[in-house]
Amino acid sequence: MARVYNFSAGPSMLPESVLAKAAAEMMDYQGSGQSVMEMSHRSKVYQGIFDETMALLREVMQIPDNYKVLFLQGGASTQFEMIPMNLMVGSGKADYVVTGQFSKKAYKEAKRFGEVKLVASSEDKTFSYIPKLDPATFTPDADYFYICMNNTIFGTVYHDLPETGDVPLVADASSCILSRPIDVSKFGILYAGAQKNMAPAGVTVVIIREDLIGKNENLATMQNYATHAENDSMYNTPPCYSIYMMKLVLEWIKNEVGGLDKMLERNEKKAGILYDYLDNSKLFKNPVAKEDRSLMNVPFVTGDADLDAKFVKEAAAAGFVNIKGHRSVGGMRASIYNAMPIEGVEKLVAFMKKFEEENA
Ligand SMILES: *Cc1c(COP(=O)(O)O)cnc(C)c1O
């Protein structure tokens, strides 16, 4: 069976060589006589996989020594509450920038736990840009400052980070982690659900500066970062298989792609092919402010809902699947995460050109 080009926003494509390796190791992981799915998380063989994944992530992302890496469950959405619960215990204040649906959810969640300031929002223009931020409007004694780095639904990304001084910057990087080098030292917490760029759904990676761990002693055990930090993410059963898959993805980035600098080069080239076409097309257009465009999620519209629907249908029949825009915005969206090959985008653009000619 031929594989389709899957433009899903998440869960999304995984590199073919990763899937092939997982398949080859499925019945008998490296002579253990078991699948990784079946292993005790306390076994020596699984601990080896776990430790290697952790070391690879630290190496590939160049995570400084004063940060802990936690492998948690509950998806990125659980961090919307864990962040305020764990951090909002100094002044009880936090600043939020709302640039899409996920940061809006995080903002709403945080309001349950303290005094939250909406520093800026781009909702006035359907989240099609990243607001210019003025540090004079930031809360000087906030416990943290929150952003969503790449806005999966709307296709925007922060090219410059807010200057928050001593206030820890907390960022949701679910849809851009591992797509480029990120200077982790600029963040208090950087976190991501795995299912966009790291692994199948199941594991959530939380990279947290050590001094931000254990600030709130009144939390339930599983909600406290300290529990997971003190137990090296093995307080309870971790999402074992998803972590193993992350190991394979990290090996792919390190050995086949050549690291995150090379990953970025590839992603820029790949997204460039699509944006160049969109900028010259008379039928399709990308609604996002040019300077804020994401390399990972590329929304586009024809301006005619019926024509959009026709495109989505014909694209699927031609093997370009999940290209429909999010239900809240309509139109189309091509999510072109790390694992989408360049030829997938080249073929999509050729298909779009043909559609444009046929529907001119
Ligand atoms: C997908 C996504 C989420 C939600 O992730 P879950 O793992 O489904 O909770 C949150 N933030 C961003 C930026 C996302 O892309």
Side-chain angles (χ1 to χ4, degrees):
M1 197 207 110
R3 280 174 55 79
V4 292
Y5 291 109
N6 178 8
F7 292 89
S8 168
S12 45
M13 288 184 83
L14 287 160
E16 246 179 58
S17 63
V18 164
L19 294 174
K21 182 108 192 267
E25 292 181 336
M26 180 61 73
M27 299 298 279
D28 175 11
Y29 176 77
Q30 297 188 1
S32 66
Q34 309 157 58
S35 168
V36 177
M37 288 190 198
E38 305 169 299
M39 286 174 186
S40 161
H41 62 293
R42 307 279 177 205
S43 64
K44 206 169 153 199
V45 56
Y46 187 74
Q47 189 68 53
I49 294 171
F50 187 96
D51 293 346
E52 249 182 84
T53 313
M54 197 61 98
L56 269 166
L57 184 64
R58 283 189 168 277
E59 181 189 341
V60 167
M61 286 190 71
Q62 297 184 22
I63 299 172
D65 289 343
N66 62 325
Y67 286 74
K68 278 270 190 190
V69 178
L70 312 177
F71 291 160
L72 307 183
Q73 304 200 53
S77 301
T78 297
Q79 295 311 307
F80 299 169
E81 70 211 40
M82 274 181 83
I83 289 159
M85 288 167 99
N86 279 270
L87 299 191
M88 245 191 202
V89 289
S91 64
K93 297 180 201 166
D95 284 348
Y96 275 68
V97 182
V98 169
T99 50
Q101 211 178 82
F102 293 117
S103 45
K104 193 172 176 182
K105 282 183 175 171
Y107 165 67
K108 282 189 177 161
E109 203 63 39
K111 285 209 272 191
R112 297 170 189 275
F113 301 98
E115 194 182 316
V116 182
K117 179 172 176 182
L118 179 62
V119 170
S121 164
S122 51
E123 195 164 13
D124 59 336
K125 291 185 186 159
T126 331
F127 299 120
S128 59
Y129 68 105
I130 299 290
K132 299 275 171 288
L133 300 173
D134 175 7
T137 62
F138 301 176
T139 306
D141 63 340
D143 288 327
Y144 63 95
F145 188 105
Y146 185 100
I147 62 168
C148 177
M149 258 178 111
N150 185 82
N151 297 282
T152 322
I153 296 174
F154 303 94
T156 61
V157 71
Y158 282 80
H159 288 294
D160 300 302
L161 295 174
E163 294 291 341
T164 62
D166 290 338
V167 174
L169 182 60
V170 172
D172 178 352
S174 293
S175 52
C176 59
I177 196 162
L178 300 181
S179 69
R180 63 187 316 142
I182 296 179
D183 182 356
V184 173
S185 72
K186 295 224 152 51
F187 298 87
I189 295 179
L190 189 68
Y191 76 94
Q195 69 272 25
K196 315 301 172 37
N197 241 354
M198 308 186 101
V203 63
T204 305
V205 172
V206 176
I207 304 167
I208 178 168
R209 216 173 61 206
E210 277 170 353
D211 62 289
L212 298 174
I213 299 171
K215 284 181 150 331
N216 186 351
E217 286 170 8
N218 298 315
L219 293 176
T221 309
M222 287 295 287
Q223 240 100 53
N224 196 332
Y225 289 132
T227 303
H228 304 289
E230 283 159 15
N231 292 282
D232 293 320
S233 301
M234 285 271 196
Y235 173 76
N236 68 327
T237 317
C240 301
Y241 197 76
S242 189
I243 292 168
Y244 156 75
M245 288 295 290
M246 194 191 335
K247 175 173 98 80
L248 301 186
V249 168
L250 289 163
E251 286 168 352
W252 172 76
I253 291 176
K254 183 182 165 186
N255 303 324
E256 286 182 56
V257 177
L260 291 183
D261 287 316
K262 286 278 188 291
M263 195 80 248
L264 173 61
E265 256 175 54
R266 249 168 97 137
N267 287 330
E268 280 177 335
K269 183 171 170 210
K270 198 167 68 182
I273 294 167
L274 187 49
Y275 283 123
D276 281 349
Y277 166 65
L278 288 168
D279 288 343
N280 290 300
S281 168
K282 292 198 173 60
L283 180 64
F284 298 105
K285 82 177 213 322
N286 167 253
V288 168
K290 260 189 188 172
E291 66 274 20
D292 301 324
R293 284 172 166 179
S294 165
L295 292 180
M296 297 283 100
N297 310 96
V298 184
F300 54 95
V301 292
T302 64
D304 171 346
D306 292 338
L307 201 53
D308 287 351
K310 183 172 184 236
F311 177 81
V312 169
K313 194 166 162 222
E314 291 183 13
F320 307 102
V321 307
N322 292 317
I323 207 153
K324 196 170 183 234
H326 189 268
R327 57 187 185 278
S328 65
V329 281
M332 282 72 70
R333 169 182 48 172
S335 293
I336 50 173
Y337 297 116
N338 286 352
M340 172 61 68
I342 285 183
E343 70 168 42
V345 172
E346 288 169 343
K347 286 184 180 168
L348 174 67
V349 166
F351 177 81
M352 289 169 76
K353 281 183 181 158
K354 187 165 145 278
F355 186 90
E356 180 169 351
E357 278 163 23
E358 288 168 1
N359 293 274

